[in-house]
Amino acid sequence: MAAAAAGPERTGPGAIALLGPAPGAPSCPHGPALLFVKTSQGKEEGRRFYACSACRDRKDCNFFQWEDEKVSETRLAAREEYNRNHQPSFTHQQNVDRYKNFVLFPLSKRRFCQECQQLLLPAEWEEHSGHQFLCGITTAQLKSPSQLLYPLENKKTNAQYLFADRSCQFLLNLLIDLGFRRVLSVGTPRLHEMIQSKASQEEEFSVRSLLLDIDFRYSQFYTEDEFCHYNMFNHHFFGGEAAREICRKFLYEENGEKVIMVTDPPFGGLVEALASSFKKLMAMWKETEKEGHDNKEMPMFWIFPYFFESRILDFFPSFSMMDYQVDYDNRALYKHGKTGRRQSPVRIFTNLPPSMIVLPEEEGYRFCSVCQRYVSSGNQHCEICNSCTSKDGRRWKHCVLCKKCVKPSWFHCNSCNCCTLPKHSCEKTDIGCFLCGKAGHKRSACPSLS
């Protein structure tokens, strides 16, 4: 089994654990399925099954197959036909050709169907006559497809919460200042289009970008060298080996053009599946030049909420979390704010030295000379922990009993023997261990672990 994850994605009675990609796995319209296992309280392991890699909600993709299930030839044929019928209407090359024709028309003949999310050629107007469409599509709109397309807001699959201009511009300026000239944009369409737009307008602009995204609608606006249809949950290139080769070629560092991967996955996605795919992209980069990459990781920005820090560090111990708050245009909860709950919880995780990441002082960030990194203004250095400990932008307080800093709203509960919210249910020892089902101890202290 290739690159299986090191532990369950979520635990509890009747939990489901991800085992990872498996050779010969069956496929759904989103590519090869992932292997999972059902676990139940008091049992070692349950029955294994395959499910869609991208959709955790069966309403979005109902693919399901037990690992030991024998599938008939009739059902296999029906599945293949279903997968074919659920592919896009046009190939990427056809969309590129359509775009070339589309831009030749005057503004009066440039239409975009909002219901089908498709650029329309005049010969297709009749079949879309009952749909709502936009007229007079300008070159500026074609250069900013993320604003023309409806965002897909299924938080577990697509979750196109698009970077606000503030964050997008900050990221691009930071990448340029760090000396990167190639950006592998994995699920970051707005950053990609900002780079593409600047490259077409400014002759001296030398940054290039390749977008990898599961949203095939972008193939209407970008060539095959600018966009690859890609599923980041199972490292699947829908364009096959040709698309893989485009990615490999892009990652090859020639003429000293440094490469960095910037990714903004759906926050409801499986962290283990994402980490597995990102490691494969890193391995692809390492293979491009064996001599110089032997003991290095491909530079990376993983943009994710701060409360996933421990999960990300499990898979990438070399990473650290920056204090910069990433905000989004179409997500009210992920907006930049100055105080308390108004602050966006989204951060940048990176394997670059923290001292290299310069954050804007005009937005309230400052450099901590002890930690040797930029932190938010509310993140005060704790002399006992010897670090700036806040994760959410507020000033945290040190608990002597817990021997660490905690959120300002938490207090130490003697029953739980840890800091927690004032209104909480104290841990009961008679609930029973998840592993063996017996009372008197928790999973971490279960004798069966030894």
Side-chain angles (χ1 to χ4, degrees):
M1 185 160 53
E9 180 68 24
R10 52 192 172 95
T11 58
I16 295 173
L18 171 67
L19 296 176
S27 292
C28 69
H30 303 93
L34 294 179
L35 186 62
F36 296 84
V37 62
K38 282 189 175 182
T39 58
S40 56
Q41 191 168 4
K43 293 184 179 179
E44 289 285 323
E45 190 177 278
R47 196 175 177 188
R48 299 183 178 204
F49 65 93
Y50 291 105
C52 177
S53 59
C55 306
R56 294 175 69 184
D57 193 328
R58 296 285 296 278
K59 288 184 290 186
D60 298 315
C61 180
N62 63 2
F63 181 85
F64 182 93
Q65 180 185 315
W66 294 110
E67 184 189 29
D68 55 4
E69 183 179 354
K70 290 185 178 180
V71 183
S72 67
E73 292 294 328
T74 304
R75 190 173 158 203
L76 282 174
R79 180 184 292 168
E80 287 178 12
E81 185 179 356
Y82 178 86
N83 290 348
R84 278 195 303 271
N85 292 337
H86 282 76
Q87 295 308 309
S89 303
F90 299 104
T91 65
H92 194 164
Q93 183 58 57
Q94 287 172 328
N95 273 336
V96 171
D97 293 339
R98 288 166 58 82
Y99 182 88
K100 289 177 182 176
N101 289 329
F102 188 88
V103 295
L104 295 176
F105 293 116
L107 282 179
S108 60
K109 291 192 175 183
R110 291 187 188 177
R111 292 187 181 183
F112 176 77
C113 179
Q114 290 181 295
E115 292 187 38
C116 300
Q117 294 286 282
Q118 183 180 313
L119 297 174
L120 297 180
L121 301 179
E124 299 162 345
W125 290 0
E126 183 63 33
E127 60 183 285
H128 293 263
S129 59
H131 297 176
Q132 287 188 327
F133 49 81
L134 297 174
C135 299
I137 303 300
T138 65
T139 302
Q141 286 176 298
L142 293 173
K143 296 293 182 185
S144 303
S146 70
Q147 298 181 32
L148 189 62
L149 300 168
Y150 284 138
L152 304 174
E153 296 189 347
N154 180 325
K155 67 179 181 180
K156 295 178 180 179
T157 310
N158 306 102
Q160 288 177 332
Y161 301 141
L162 303 165
F163 292 145
D165 282 343
R166 162 193 164 268
S167 289
C168 205
Q169 192 64 62
F170 164 76
L171 283 168
L172 181 53
N173 292 341
L174 178 60
L175 296 174
I176 293 171
D177 292 343
L178 291 170
F180 293 104
R181 293 298 174 261
R182 295 195 192 182
V183 182
L184 185 65
S185 304
V186 184
T188 57
R190 188 152 282 181
L191 177 63
H192 174 74
E193 72 183 34
M194 181 176 280
I195 293 172
Q196 294 290 103
S197 180
K198 283 183 176 290
S200 65
Q201 294 170 15
E202 303 171 19
E203 194 172 324
E204 68 280 4
F205 189 77
S206 58
V207 181
R208 294 167 54 201
S209 173
L210 173 64
L211 176 64
L212 307 186
D213 203 289
I214 199 169
D215 187 354
F216 191 68
R217 296 178 302 171
Y218 284 105
S219 68
Q220 299 178 85
F221 306 92
Y222 300 121
T223 66
E224 288 159 308
D225 289 330
E226 297 167 336
F227 167 77
C228 291
H229 191 201
Y230 175 78
N231 182 347
M232 71 174 80
F233 291 103
N234 59 2
H235 187 57
H236 179 63
F237 286 87
F238 292 86
E241 191 54 40
R244 283 178 181 272
E245 192 53 40
I246 288 170
C247 186
R248 282 194 202 98
K249 186 178 177 182
F250 184 84
L251 293 176
Y252 180 74
E253 297 184 359
E254 56 185 352
N255 303 323
E257 292 186 338
K258 293 197 300 179
V259 176
I260 185 170
M261 177 166 72
V262 181
T263 183
D264 182 31
F267 301 154
L270 294 165
V271 175
E272 282 133 323
L274 293 168
S276 174
S277 294
F278 297 159
K279 285 181 178 180
K280 288 174 183 175
L281 288 171
M282 286 177 157
M284 192 183 289
W285 169 83
K286 190 172 281 191
E287 289 166 5
T288 60
E289 183 152 352
K290 296 183 185 250
E291 289 181 14
H293 297 162
D294 280 349
N295 300 311
K296 295 180 182 177
E297 283 183 335
M298 175 167 63
M300 179 176 167
F301 284 170
W302 181 342
I303 295 163
F304 227 48
Y306 71 82
F307 37 81
F308 283 100
E309 181 182 21
S310 62
R311 300 286 296 128
I312 291 176
L313 297 186
D314 281 345
F315 297 100
F316 296 102
S318 62
F319 278 36
S320 53
M321 186 179 78
M322 302 296 98
D323 272 22
Y324 183 80
Q325 297 174 22
V326 181
D327 60 338
Y328 297 79
D329 269 349
N330 55 328
R331 182 65 172 173
L333 294 177
Y334 301 151
K335 291 283 189 184
H336 177 67
K338 293 183 179 179
T339 58
R341 296 289 179 185
R342 290 207 303 273
Q343 298 182 94
S344 167
V346 187
R347 303 289 185 267
I348 300 171
F349 294 86
T350 182
N351 50 4
L352 296 175
S355 58
M356 294 176 62
I357 313 298
V358 179
L359 304 185
E361 293 182 4
E362 65 273 16
E363 292 185 18
Y365 299 101
R366 60 178 180 82
F367 187 76
C368 176
S369 56
V370 182
C371 295
Q372 284 293 293
R373 69 181 182 98
Y374 277 82
V375 296
S376 62
S377 56
N379 191 357
Q380 297 299 309
H381 192 87
C382 175
E383 299 295 339
I384 304 171
C385 296
N386 195 29
S387 68
C388 294
T389 52
S390 173
K391 307 293 184 186
D392 61 9
R394 296 176 294 169
R395 183 171 184 169
W396 286 21
K397 61 184 182 183
H398 190 85
C399 175
V400 178
L401 296 173
C402 289
K403 297 180 181 178
K404 65 178 182 180
C405 286
V406 297
K407 294 180 179 181
S409 56
W410 287 17
F411 83 110
H412 194 87
C413 173
N414 291 324
S415 299
C416 299
N417 196 28
C418 67
C419 284
T420 184
L421 290 167
K423 293 180 180 180
H424 71 283
S425 299
C426 290
E427 291 287 344
K428 304 291 184 182
T429 56
D430 57 355
I431 292 175
C433 170
F434 170 69
L435 282 180
C436 69
K438 295 179 181 178
H441 65 268
K442 298 178 185 176
R443 172 184 176 147
S444 58
C446 183
S448 64
L449 285 174
S450 60

